[in-house]
Amino acid sequence: MSINKIIAVAINEYDDIELNKIQNTKSDIEEVISILTNKYVFEDVDFIFEKENTTRKKLFSILNNYFVNALDDENILLIFAGHGEYNSVLETAYWLPSDSDPKDPSTWININDLLTFINASKAFHVAIISDSCFSGAIFEAQKRGGGVQAYGNKKSRLALTSGGIEKVSDGIGGQKSPFAENLIKELSENSLEEMPFNVLANNIILTFNEDRAQTPMFGALNNVGHQGGAFIFKLKGTETAQPDNLNFYLKSRLGNLFIPISEEHIQIIKKIQPINKEKHELVKKQKYEHAMKLRDEEKALEDILYKTCPEYIDKIFKDVKISEEDYSRIKTIKKEIDVFDSEYIGKKEIINETLKELEIEHLKTNKELSSEDRLILINIAERNAGYFDFLNPVRDFFSSEKTNLIEKYLQNINSLYAYFLQIEAKSNIKFLEEKKMTLRNLLIKIYELQIKMLYRWYTDDIDEFIALKKIDMELLIWIRG
């Protein structure tokens, strides 16, 4: 389940007299945000336009924190309107913050710094719409995908700019810039339920014929992990009414993956819901400062929710009863493991000698030895020495329980975890400890997904379905061993 976010920057006031002749950026971006939040699915908006917040130092910090702290289920649309510059020697574009000195590049924001932030970001989709001069230098070779589903499933790093490496028009005072005018028109008139970013970009480019003084550009961002996907603008559907019984609602959606939500977390979610709704209404009315304060309140409550998820999962299963039979069986297995490990120690010298010989032979025909190559060579060395890890008694024990684990999994995820805790019997056997931590993390992931399903104001059934299927697959792989 993905979260769509907007971070918009409009620089309408500059310290420099000449730069300060810019006129329409704030009003243009306000109208774009209004259309996006009224017509399309966006859960969060940050609009930065105050002069004190658009200085180089402040913007650099805001953009860095925004992208570096993004989560892997977030899609970010960055919108920028303001002056831009280009250094033909360095072949580098810049955005000019409010305190820019037009003669001093050190006071500008290097687009390469922005790309560094994006490259470090976990965000799934990142799209940039830039209405500034010389912004076309941000691209690598243009890439396109094949169909909405392909766009949604592959990571993307795309941009649409108001021009190439050229000056662009800000428009007549009190009117929109030519680029903003066409962007607003396309967003307003779109009827596609899911419009990929490249479709929007291509439509806008086609509106700029040869009589225009500028040529918008679209493409992938330079060397920051574009994989052929695209940010998708999704039309809003029917607002989802929250059910009276949240746990009953979740159980109907998740089936055997359902984990009951704690009463404490339900109360926090009920606090978030009206804040989230009011925040959206304020954004529609262009009351951005108040909306950002509410967003901070919402974020603080979210932090409490997510920080306490692991604690709650552990609390549910802290009293799982382990039988004497389970303790006795694990004790026997531990003895068998000790015997197996002693055999490995006896064969370790042979394994190491064989491994060295295999590595030397490998490097004769290969430039390097990758970690994957070394793992293969280790397996060969162990096999030659008569050591087979799959014969480890603990693996045999886990394999013998697969039928029971599948049965518990089909009942529900809680039964699966409780049963595994019983048969693992606090043994501290490394293999079982790793399996336990992996399963625990999957339960936490499911619980966090349930929380998002409850406090998001708009839901997307397809995203929800995909997220659940991914976790389901991870669980089956876990059982397989």
Side-chain angles (χ1 to χ4, degrees):
M1 181 178 293
S2 57
I3 309 293
N4 291 340
K5 293 187 171 186
I6 298 171
I7 176 169
V9 179
I11 306 180
N12 216 62
E13 295 181 78
Y14 282 87
D15 290 340
D16 182 81
I17 295 174
E18 286 301 312
L19 293 178
N20 204 39
K21 291 179 180 179
I22 199 165
Q23 302 176 71
N24 303 316
T25 57
K26 182 173 179 288
S27 58
D28 284 353
I29 300 302
E30 280 179 341
E31 190 164 346
V32 171
I33 292 174
S34 177
I35 292 168
L36 288 173
T37 54
N38 279 290
K39 185 172 180 177
Y40 300 90
V41 178
F42 284 95
E43 285 76 21
D44 202 7
V45 178
D46 274 327
F47 186 24
I48 302 154
F49 58 87
E50 298 91 346
K51 190 167 179 289
E52 63 272 18
N53 288 331
T54 55
T55 63
R56 185 188 187 283
K57 183 177 180 180
K58 192 75 173 180
L59 267 184
F60 194 93
S61 176
I62 289 171
L63 292 170
N64 176 45
N65 290 333
Y66 201 93
F67 283 104
V68 170
N69 294 325
L71 303 176
D72 57 10
D73 64 349
E74 292 178 348
N75 304 318
I76 298 174
L77 175 63
L78 169 61
I79 306 171
F80 177 82
H83 284 299
E85 267 298 344
Y86 182 74
N87 185 312
S88 58
V89 177
L90 299 176
E91 297 183 342
T92 300
Y94 301 83
W95 285 348
L96 271 56
S98 58
D99 58 347
S100 293
D101 179 344
K103 297 179 181 178
D104 183 1
S106 69
T107 65
W108 309 342
I109 291 178
N110 192 318
I111 290 297
N112 289 329
D113 288 330
L114 174 63
L115 294 177
T116 299
F117 304 154
I118 293 172
N119 192 41
S121 181
K122 292 181 180 178
F124 196 74
H125 291 306
V126 175
I128 299 175
I129 297 176
S130 177
D131 191 359
S132 65
C133 297
F134 306 109
S135 47
I138 203 169
F139 298 116
E140 66 179 16
Q142 188 178 27
K143 295 181 182 179
R144 299 181 184 179
V148 173
Q149 188 174 3
Y151 289 134
N153 292 338
K154 297 177 182 178
K155 270 193 170 185
S156 68
R157 301 287 187 265
L158 296 169
L160 168 65
T161 65
S162 56
I165 304 173
E166 59 185 332
K167 290 279 188 180
V168 298
S169 173
D170 176 46
I172 301 169
Q175 296 182 21
K176 303 177 187 68
S177 76
F179 178 77
E181 183 178 4
N182 285 276
L183 173 63
I184 290 165
K185 183 174 184 291
E186 290 299 326
L187 289 170
S188 300
E189 295 179 357
N190 168 57
S191 59
L192 294 173
E193 290 186 10
E194 293 184 321
M195 177 174 62
F197 189 75
N198 66 309
V199 172
L200 170 68
N202 288 334
N203 288 346
I204 290 174
I205 289 170
L206 290 173
T207 65
F208 282 76
N209 58 35
E210 59 186 10
D211 297 328
R212 299 280 190 134
Q214 66 193 72
T215 305
M217 291 184 67
F218 160 72
L221 297 176
N222 230 337
N223 299 318
V224 290
H226 180 65
Q227 296 176 7
F231 188 101
I232 296 173
F233 295 87
K234 298 180 180 180
L235 293 181
K236 282 184 176 178
T238 305
E239 191 171 302
T240 303
Q242 290 295 334
D244 294 330
N245 189 321
L246 299 182
N247 274 315
F248 181 81
Y249 165 77
L250 287 172
K251 190 172 183 180
S252 68
R253 305 286 292 185
L254 279 86
N256 66 316
L257 298 184
F258 166 67
I259 301 170
I261 299 285
S262 75
E263 185 58 37
E264 178 186 356
H265 288 161
I266 287 175
Q267 294 309 313
I268 295 173
I269 289 166
K270 287 182 176 179
K271 289 179 182 177
I272 289 177
Q273 288 169 341
I275 293 172
N276 185 282
K277 184 178 180 180
E278 186 181 355
K279 181 186 71 177
H280 278 276
E281 293 302 318
L282 288 168
V283 169
K284 290 177 186 177
K285 295 174 183 176
Q286 299 183 4
K287 296 181 179 180
Y288 300 109
E289 290 184 28
H290 192 182
M292 289 175 72
K293 288 179 182 178
L294 288 179
R295 186 217 49 204
D296 291 340
E297 287 183 39
E298 183 182 31
K299 182 69 166 59
L301 290 169
E302 285 179 16
D303 289 344
I304 294 172
L305 277 173
Y306 293 122
K307 284 178 182 177
T308 54
C309 284
E311 178 185 323
Y312 174 64
I313 293 297
D314 291 339
K315 184 179 178 181
I316 294 175
F317 298 97
K318 71 180 180 67
D319 295 325
V320 171
K321 293 182 180 179
I322 302 168
S323 69
E324 288 300 322
E325 182 182 349
D326 288 324
Y327 279 122
S328 177
R329 183 166 57 157
I330 280 293
K331 190 175 180 180
T332 301
I333 291 167
K334 289 181 83 170
K335 288 179 181 178
E336 293 174 359
I337 292 170
D338 290 340
V339 173
F340 183 81
D341 287 344
S342 67
E343 290 180 3
Y344 174 76
I345 293 170
K347 296 175 180 179
K348 193 171 183 179
E349 187 174 338
I350 299 171
I351 292 170
N352 288 338
E353 288 178 1
T354 305
L355 181 60
K356 285 180 183 178
E357 292 173 3
L358 291 169
E359 288 176 347
I360 291 170
E361 286 299 314
H362 178 88
L363 292 171
K364 284 180 181 178
T365 54
N366 298 274
K367 292 181 179 179
E368 60 181 23
L369 180 68
S370 69
S371 56
E372 291 83 3
D373 291 334
R374 193 167 195 280
L375 188 60
I376 292 170
L377 296 182
I378 289 172
N379 288 334
I380 294 171
E382 289 178 344
R383 186 182 63 206
N384 290 348
Y387 175 86
F388 301 98
D389 186 57
F390 65 86
L391 295 177
N392 191 320
V394 70
R395 291 183 179 275
D396 188 48
F397 162 70
F398 183 80
S399 182
S400 70
E401 288 288 347
K402 282 183 182 178
T403 300
N404 293 327
L405 292 171
I406 291 171
E407 181 183 333
K408 298 298 181 183
Y409 157 77
L410 292 173
Q411 288 177 12
N412 57 66
I413 189 68
N414 297 336
S415 296
L416 174 64
Y417 190 44
Y419 182 75
F420 183 76
L421 292 177
Q422 289 171 338
I423 63 173
E424 185 261 351
K426 301 178 181 178
S427 59
N428 294 322
I429 297 170
K430 184 181 177 182
F431 176 80
L432 296 180
E433 277 294 302
E434 290 174 352
K435 297 294 286 186
K436 180 170 69 175
M437 289 306 299
T438 301
L439 185 55
R440 174 181 178 268
N441 289 337
L442 285 171
L443 263 72
I444 293 169
K445 188 186 290 189
I446 292 169
Y447 193 77
E448 289 175 346
L449 177 61
Q450 291 183 163
I451 286 173
K452 289 177 184 177
M453 289 167 65
L454 291 178
Y455 79 74
R456 279 188 58 195
W457 192 247
Y458 290 94
T459 64
D460 187 307
D461 288 347
I462 295 297
D463 283 347
E464 179 183 300
F465 180 76
I466 291 171
L468 287 171
K469 284 299 178 184
K470 283 180 179 178
I471 295 173
D472 219 9
M473 184 59 68
E474 289 181 71
L475 283 165
L476 292 171
I477 290 171
W478 181 87
I479 293 174
R480 188 177 66 180

